[in-house]
Amino acid sequence: MTEGVTFAISWLELGLVGLEFALKEIMSSGGAEDDIPQAERKTVTDFCYLLDKSKQLFNGLRDLPQYGQKQWQSYFGRTFDVYTKLWKFQQQHRQVLDNRYGLKRWQIGEIASKIGQLYYHYYLRTSETSYLNEAFSFYSAIRQRSYYSQVNKEDRPELVVKKLRYYARFIVVCLLLNKMDVVKDLVKELSDEIEDYTHRFNTEDQVEWNLVLQEVAAFIEADPVMVLNDDNTIVITSNRLSETGAPLLEQGMIVGQLALADALIIGNCNNQVKFSELTIDMFRMLQALEREPMNLASQMNKPGMQESTEKPARRENPHKYLLYKPTFSQLYTFLAASFKELPANSVLLIYLSATGVFPSGRSDSEGPYDFGGVLTNSNRDIINGDALHKRNQAYKEMHCLHPGDLYPFTRKPLFIIVDSSNSVAYKSGSDPMNRNKKEKHMNSRSLESNKSSWREKRFKISKNFTNLFGQPLVCLLSPTAYPKALQDQSQRGSLFTLFLNNPLMAFLFVSGLSSMRRGLWEKCQDYLRKINRDIAQLLTHSRSIDQSFLQFFGDEFLRLLLTRFVFCSATMRMHKIFRQETRNYPESYPQLPRDETVENPHLQKHILELASILDVRNVFLENTLDDY
């Protein structure tokens, strides 16, 4: 989709006449200036001033840096303040503005639409989901009061485009709030509006608007499993963190006090469903890092200005950056900004959902830049999800994020999730099993190799990705391939990310189920919560687990991600079709103790019991304690 219809972070001109032009209109439509009472003239002048000021401030928002959390807050506050006055002013003086200014309903709709955009962008800046509700309330008011109903009667295509963009933004907010019924109604209305628009005007953007419809339709249908009521209507499920979401810590349990403060969510998967600049993987991960939104009173108070007694008692959501196909320089700028502003005793999370970049040829030195990485910005052809590389290629991909690129940021607690066909690039080469295989291979090739050369090669193997600064560091790594027998759903999102976002839906999918009755779904969710509690105990009671895992375990979001990762890994290791190749399994760095976690008999028994509830036990192996 071109920039002309990219609406998630676009800033449109206000579309309302400025002060000077407005006064001329007053003179031409309302009679001679002397005939206008002084009070009414002042009302129109004040309105035009607020209108012009709001336009200046709104357009200035796009010049603010997208990274950092401090410098933009005062500017947003001033912008909200002006729009508060503007909105109340037009309500209080509607009759005068109708008679003397010629205020039209679509112009009121534009003001409301800008306020909705402000709330949406404030949500993007703060990750506070309550502001999504505020954006929704203003967008809903526009629709309910039919502010844009008269636009189609005017022979001005630019006004119709404003209406179409309003619909597109409204759909984004509804998707983020899981209001799928409203989304479907909006899509139908938008489709009718696009058809009318393209029929009346000879436009060049018809294909682009039709693409918008296709994208949102694919986004709605991305979930591989439907939950149904008794009347076969679809149940909308939320995957944000709820009060009972994360397993509670046992009393007296010793875990770290780190808190997840910042998250970079990066998406660049070829052909994956997306809407606006949000892939389905990015959408799922951002919801996994948010709490259920709280309803705020729909008042035009400046965000962040509430009294302390009005603030939610629960801890805020971690701040997030959503980066769709960032260049290396953009990504590093955001990383540096997050690293710089990370509070004490806090964690930075990096989520990478991107195409794998593999090493080209054999290198004399095997270090953190010789195992490839993930491609954050596609500037070359892609085939079968992997970047093309010529065998004789002498240079490395510029927009590939290598493990070594993250070394500077391991000076602070770092939690990494890599969902890619080359996720293992972020796995430490010092893994004993991996090292033993390579050592045996080297010995078999040359038994006469001298010991110094052998030790040198062994040292090179261990330099893939290591913890240089001793700070807590965990990498959760997706499988690098999935079984061929499993229906390819990569376009509708990664299975690994689905497990981290909605583990029950992922479990149903790998079990061959595509629909589920609500009663059974809720029963399985209850049982899954029990499994998560037991996984949490396995991790905290383990005697050989790396302490980095426990350092992160005090944070609710990270604790839930870790327990879901263990459930995902255990499920795949027990599943018959996943056991064909080890690359079908998730991995982690540091490596989890298998016998105490992902291959624990108690956990395996739970998974078989869940499969029995769903009557799919036949797809899992009863005994999975064999060596891999």
Side-chain angles (χ1 to χ4, degrees):
M1 188 170 17
T2 64
E3 293 182 0
V5 291
T6 300
F7 44 81
I9 56 172
S10 65
W11 301 97
L12 307 175
E13 64 181 60
L14 193 57
L16 303 177
V17 288
L19 177 60
E20 181 179 357
F21 183 74
L23 291 175
K24 290 181 180 179
E25 286 292 300
I26 294 168
M27 293 297 296
S28 62
S29 60
E33 184 178 2
D34 293 340
D35 295 337
I36 304 176
Q38 182 67 30
E40 294 185 4
R41 187 185 302 120
K42 185 177 186 305
T43 295
V44 173
T45 302
D46 290 347
F47 176 76
C48 291
Y49 169 78
L50 288 173
L51 198 58
D52 195 53
K53 185 67 174 177
S54 67
K55 177 180 179 178
Q56 293 176 18
L57 289 171
F58 192 93
N59 290 339
L61 291 173
R62 61 185 164 194
D63 297 326
L64 297 176
Q66 295 298 310
Y67 51 86
Q69 301 183 45
K70 306 297 181 185
Q71 59 268 46
W72 51 267
Q73 288 181 336
S74 60
Y75 194 98
F76 257 91
R78 291 198 302 273
T79 307
F80 267 100
D81 186 49
V82 170
Y83 272 97
T84 299
K85 295 176 182 177
L86 178 62
W87 184 253
K88 292 181 178 179
F89 193 91
Q90 63 85 21
Q91 287 179 318
Q92 295 167 356
H93 304 282
R94 180 71 58 81
Q95 186 174 354
V96 173
L97 294 173
D98 285 346
N99 295 334
R100 299 301 185 184
Y101 180 83
L103 185 66
K104 298 181 180 180
R105 291 189 64 78
W106 69 263
Q107 293 174 315
I108 301 173
E110 276 293 281
I111 298 173
S113 180
K114 289 296 181 291
I115 295 171
Q117 288 182 67
L118 283 174
Y119 273 117
Y120 172 69
H121 283 280
Y122 202 76
Y123 155 74
L124 291 180
R125 294 273 187 172
T126 64
S127 299
E128 175 49 65
T129 46
S130 300
Y131 294 115
L132 281 174
N133 283 330
E134 299 304 296
F136 177 82
S137 67
F138 275 92
Y139 285 146
S140 294
I142 294 170
R143 183 168 173 243
Q144 292 168 0
R145 300 172 189 177
S146 303
Y147 282 138
Y148 282 119
S149 61
Q150 301 300 314
V151 163
N152 291 11
K153 295 182 179 180
E154 302 193 29
D155 191 26
R156 296 175 59 185
E158 70 276 11
L159 295 184
V160 181
V161 170
K162 290 179 183 293
K163 185 177 184 178
L164 299 181
R165 286 173 171 163
Y166 149 74
Y167 270 106
R169 294 191 188 96
F170 195 5
I171 289 171
V172 170
V173 169
C174 290
L175 284 172
L176 289 168
L177 288 172
N178 294 308
K179 297 182 181 292
M180 305 308 291
D181 291 340
V182 181
V183 169
K184 292 176 182 177
D185 291 340
L186 291 174
V187 168
K188 186 179 184 306
E189 293 175 21
L190 177 58
S191 178
D192 294 339
E193 294 290 344
I194 292 173
E195 184 177 354
D196 179 74
Y197 168 63
T198 55
H199 179 73
R200 291 175 56 210
F201 304 102
N202 184 19
T203 64
E204 297 179 355
D205 56 355
Q206 177 181 355
V207 174
E208 295 170 0
W209 281 110
N210 286 331
L211 181 60
V212 170
L213 289 175
Q214 294 171 18
E215 286 184 346
V216 70
F219 214 90
I220 293 172
E221 299 171 357
D223 284 349
V225 179
M226 292 186 297
V227 184
L228 302 173
N229 286 311
D230 292 337
D231 59 357
N232 287 332
T233 57
I234 298 176
V235 179
I236 307 303
T237 60
S238 175
N239 299 306
R240 288 188 171 93
L241 181 62
S242 63
E243 294 286 352
T244 59
L248 297 176
L249 294 174
E250 295 179 84
Q251 190 172 5
M253 184 182 295
I254 301 176
V255 295
Q257 300 301 310
L258 297 173
L260 178 59
D262 246 32
L264 272 73
I265 299 177
I266 300 147
N268 181 32
C269 280
N270 184 46
N271 295 328
Q272 191 174 98
V273 168
K274 76 174 190 68
F275 187 52
S276 178
E277 294 193 339
L278 198 63
T279 68
I280 190 66
D281 276 356
M282 295 171 67
F283 175 76
R284 286 169 175 161
M285 184 50 60
L286 79 86
Q287 295 217 340
L289 298 177
E290 290 181 347
R291 303 176 191 277
E292 287 292 347
M294 298 174 62
N295 288 317
L296 298 177
S298 295
Q299 300 174 350
M300 281 296 297
N301 293 326
K302 288 174 286 188
M305 301 297 181
Q306 294 93 345
E307 295 296 327
S308 59
T309 56
E310 300 177 3
K311 291 183 179 179
R314 295 178 298 175
R315 189 168 62 80
E316 297 177 352
N317 295 321
H319 174 259
K320 299 182 297 298
Y321 292 115
L322 305 177
L323 303 178
Y324 176 64
K325 295 189 175 183
T327 63
F328 177 78
S329 58
Q330 289 171 333
L331 175 54
Y332 231 57
T333 299
F334 279 81
L335 267 172
S338 291
F339 181 84
K340 177 184 177 182
E341 296 187 351
L342 197 68
N345 299 317
S346 296
V347 181
L348 171 62
L349 183 147
I350 302 173
Y351 169 79
L352 295 162
S353 168
T355 301
V357 177
F358 298 92
S360 55
R362 186 173 181 83
S363 175
D364 291 335
S365 64
E366 292 186 345
Y369 290 90
D370 297 303
F371 292 85
V374 299
L375 187 65
T376 62
N377 187 279
S378 305
N379 64 349
R380 62 174 67 247
D381 294 330
I382 304 290
I383 290 183
N384 296 327
D386 294 326
L388 289 178
H389 287 268
K390 297 179 181 179
R391 290 187 177 181
N392 60 352
Q393 183 177 320
Y395 59 89
K396 289 183 170 64
E397 169 61 54
M398 184 176 74
H399 298 299
C400 172
L401 188 71
H402 296 270
D405 294 323
L406 298 179
Y407 275 179
F409 307 103
T410 60
R411 289 175 168 86
K412 294 182 180 180
L414 190 62
F415 195 98
I416 303 170
I417 302 173
V418 185
D419 195 337
S420 173
S421 56
N422 192 27
S423 60
V424 291
Y426 294 82
K427 181 184 177 185
S428 171
S430 60
D431 172 31
M433 291 187 66
N434 189 42
R435 186 176 66 226
N436 289 339
K437 290 179 182 178
K438 292 192 177 184
E439 289 173 357
K440 289 178 181 178
H441 178 64
M442 286 187 288
N443 286 333
S444 65
R445 289 185 59 195
S446 178
L447 294 174
E448 303 300 325
S449 297
N450 63 67
K451 292 183 179 180
S452 61
S453 175
W454 184 85
R455 280 195 297 267
E456 184 181 12
K457 290 181 180 179
R458 184 182 181 187
F459 174 72
K460 290 174 182 176
I461 291 171
S462 67
K463 293 196 298 180
N464 187 8
F465 191 49
T466 53
N467 189 345
L468 297 177
F469 298 97
Q471 291 289 329
L473 171 65
V474 163
C475 301
L476 304 184
L477 311 173
S478 72
T480 57
Y482 292 101
K484 294 181 180 179
L486 195 69
Q487 184 181 358
D488 183 18
Q489 294 282 337
S490 57
Q491 186 179 6
R492 299 166 70 177
S494 164
L495 178 60
F496 179 68
T497 294
L498 184 61
F499 262 104
L500 298 180
N501 166 258
N502 191 335
L504 180 54
M505 183 170 289
F507 189 88
L508 294 173
F509 172 67
V510 299
S511 301
L513 300 175
S514 60
S515 64
M516 175 67 53
R517 291 294 172 186
R518 182 173 190 167
L520 185 56
W521 171 271
E522 291 175 350
K523 179 181 179 180
C524 292
Q525 285 285 31
D526 288 340
Y527 194 77
L528 190 58
R529 279 189 280 270
K530 172 180 171 56
I531 294 177
N532 272 339
R533 289 194 297 269
D534 287 354
I535 291 174
Q537 291 182 0
L538 291 177
L539 292 172
T540 54
H541 292 178
S542 170
R543 296 183 178 181
S544 56
I545 192 171
D546 189 281
Q547 288 299 304
S548 286
F549 290 101
L550 300 183
Q551 286 293 314
F552 292 128
F553 216 67
D555 181 271
E556 287 181 283
F557 294 103
L558 300 180
R559 182 159 72 248
L560 193 57
L561 289 173
L562 286 170
T563 56
R564 286 174 173 176
F565 173 81
V566 172
F567 175 74
C568 169
S569 186
T571 297
M572 292 180 177
R573 289 173 182 274
M574 293 182 66
H575 202 290
K576 290 179 180 178
I577 65 172
F578 279 85
R579 288 175 61 83
Q580 298 169 3
E581 294 186 70
T582 55
R583 61 181 186 150
N584 296 156
Y585 303 146
E587 299 191 56
S588 68
Y589 168 64
Q591 192 176 61
L592 285 167
R594 290 181 182 173
D595 57 336
E596 296 179 350
T597 56
V598 297
E599 294 177 9
N600 181 274
H602 184 64
L603 176 56
Q604 292 176 341
K605 182 180 177 181
H606 277 327
I607 290 175
L608 289 175
E609 180 61 29
L610 180 60
S612 295
I613 295 173
L614 296 167
D615 197 23
V616 292
R617 190 158 177 157
N618 61 303
V619 304
F620 295 94
L621 292 174
E622 298 287 335
N623 184 6
T624 58
L625 299 181
D626 301 328
D627 289 335
Y628 290 88

